[in-house]
Amino acid sequence: MPAFHDCRPEPGTADLPEIVEADQGPPPEPAVLNVRYQAGVVGERARVVHAATWTPRGVLITLCGMPLDPALVEESTGMPCMRCIRIAARRSRRADEQRGIEDR
């Protein structure tokens, strides 16, 4: 059997890489999820999208402080929770100030 560097690609395919990196496994879970209640659980006005993180006990906690049952929510996009937005903006601003980034 030829060594890896002696292999030739099939006609019409890209060249083989010199080094093949090992599979690193699945990507890490996102730190913040965008979730909202599933249809029918609450009224449409309450189905805003919250920024939420997992607790060690398997409960989602939103930035605005509301615990969510994972069985009742879905990852989604849509109208955001204004309290979550304000809290995220304040955290971002504090982080920028700590890094010495100024507003323009």
Side-chain angles (χ1 to χ4, degrees):
M1 175 174 245
F4 178 77
H5 63 278
D6 293 332
C7 293
R8 301 282 180 244
E10 291 291 319
T13 62
D15 292 332
L16 293 172
E18 287 296 319
I19 299 173
V20 177
E21 295 182 15
D23 183 21
Q24 300 297 322
E29 294 277 332
V32 177
L33 300 171
N34 294 322
V35 296
R36 69 178 181 172
Y37 282 110
Q38 297 170 352
V41 175
V42 295
E44 284 300 308
R45 284 181 54 185
R47 291 189 68 219
V48 294
V49 177
H50 294 275
T53 58
W54 287 101
T55 67
R57 294 185 180 187
V59 176
L60 286 169
I61 298 290
T62 66
L63 287 181
C64 63
M66 185 170 57
L68 298 174
D69 180 352
L72 301 178
V73 298
E74 63 187 3
E75 276 194 78
S76 184
T77 59
M79 182 66 183
C81 166
M82 291 291 108
R83 289 185 67 203
C84 285
I85 293 290
R86 282 193 300 269
I87 292 166
R90 277 191 226 125
R91 288 182 180 181
S92 176
R93 186 174 190 147
R94 272 189 244 130
D96 287 348
E97 288 171 355
Q98 289 174 353
R99 285 185 263 143
I101 299 173
E102 297 178 16
D103 284 341
R104 292 186 178 174

